[in-house]
Amino acid sequence: GLESPMALNDQRWQALCACIVAELDDVPEDAIKPETLLVEDLEIDSLLAANLAFELEDAFDILIEEAEMKDVTTVGDLARLIEAKTKS
């Protein structure tokens, strides 16, 4: 895509990483990058993805549809999804 890989500001990015780390005990925060693949790299299954969506909804005060999570393959995608929802 043409979008910059880091759409989120640092504060939001930290919050996103914190949510992911909270769901995945054994992943260090510095291992999470915009290009990190949720399924292949972080082994996030559909249940974990649902839990993560709840965490993010709380953290960012947004609503994430299940269908939207299906389109997300990288942490950067997740960041863009959050960014799109927090802009309004």
Side-chain angles (χ1 to χ4, degrees):
L2 297 170
E3 323 94 335
S4 69
M6 259 325 304
L8 292 184
N9 63 35
D10 288 344
Q11 200 179 355
R12 284 184 180 159
W13 176 254
Q14 292 300 323
L16 168 57
C17 290
C19 285
I20 295 173
V21 170
E23 286 299 322
L24 310 169
D25 315 317
D26 50 355
V27 174
E29 200 160 313
D30 58 10
I32 301 172
K33 304 199 167 21
E35 64 274 14
T36 303
L37 296 162
L38 298 180
V39 177
E40 291 84 346
D41 295 334
L42 300 179
E43 296 177 11
I44 293 180
D45 59 19
S46 53
L47 181 66
L48 268 174
N51 288 346
L52 183 57
F54 280 130
E55 289 274 338
L56 296 172
E57 287 180 334
D58 268 0
F60 293 97
D61 194 26
I62 55 177
L63 191 63
I64 298 174
E65 307 290 339
E66 202 177 321
E68 292 172 316
M69 284 299 281
K70 286 189 173 60
D71 292 333
V72 170
T73 54
T74 66
V75 178
D77 289 344
L78 204 47
R80 278 191 287 277
L81 178 63
I82 292 167
E83 183 69 6
K85 288 176 174 290
T86 49
K87 275 212 172 78
S88 52

